[in-house]
Amino acid sequence: QVQLVESGGGLVQPGGSLRLSCVASGGMFSINSMGWYRQAPGKQRELVANIATSTSTNYANSVKGRFTISRDNARDTVYLQMNSLKPEDTAVYYCNANLRRTSDMWPRVYWGQGTQVTVSS
């Protein structure tokens, strides 16, 4: 079955950088878009950034100019480069993909298990 696995989270000081990775695997599929969401304790899950097959991107206003999303289609991987990190960026970051398995008629949305990002002095 399809699974998304995130990596790259950790503890970083304010102003530091982290690079998150997410790999989609499990059978044959065609990816329409991939993205990153985050959820802090007591808050709703929110979109951080996403990228379509056209390479068009969308960012939350709070991360524009600091985060960059990219993808490697050959490796079914999406990345999130996070620079100038702030304490308010602390959250669990979840990978998301809209894809269609070759055995399915319609695309579906899949989620990873999340990776913790903590920004603290």
Side-chain angles (χ1 to χ4, degrees):
Q1 66 277 7
V2 174
Q3 64 176 356
L4 307 179
V5 180
E6 304 100 330
S7 62
L11 174 64
V12 65
Q13 296 183 3
S17 298
L18 285 174
R19 191 189 193 208
L20 306 183
S21 299
C22 173
V23 180
S25 64
M28 300 292 292
F29 49 80
S30 177
I31 298 176
N32 297 317
S33 64
M34 300 186 77
W36 292 94
Y37 290 70
R38 67 186 181 187
Q39 187 167 23
K43 296 185 178 180
Q44 296 183 4
R45 186 173 300 186
E46 64 176 352
L47 172 70
V48 177
N50 59 25
I51 183 168
T53 55
S54 64
T55 70
S56 63
T57 58
N58 185 39
Y59 295 92
N61 288 333
S62 60
V63 307
K64 287 182 178 178
R66 300 189 298 120
F67 292 8
T68 302
I69 189 170
S70 61
R71 62 189 295 178
D72 184 340
N73 293 329
R75 295 177 173 83
D76 295 324
T77 302
V78 65
Y79 305 95
L80 185 68
Q81 178 67 46
M82 304 184 294
N83 298 325
S84 302
L85 283 162
K86 305 175 181 179
E88 51 263 45
D89 295 319
T90 296
V92 177
Y93 284 69
Y94 296 92
C95 180
N96 163 281
N98 180 295
L99 59 84
R100 183 183 65 82
R101 298 167 63 201
T102 56
S103 60
D104 293 340
M105 180 177 293
W106 309 110
R108 297 180 181 181
V109 176
Y110 298 84
W111 293 91
Q113 293 299 306
T115 184
Q116 178 70 47
V117 172
T118 302
V119 185
S120 176
S121 299

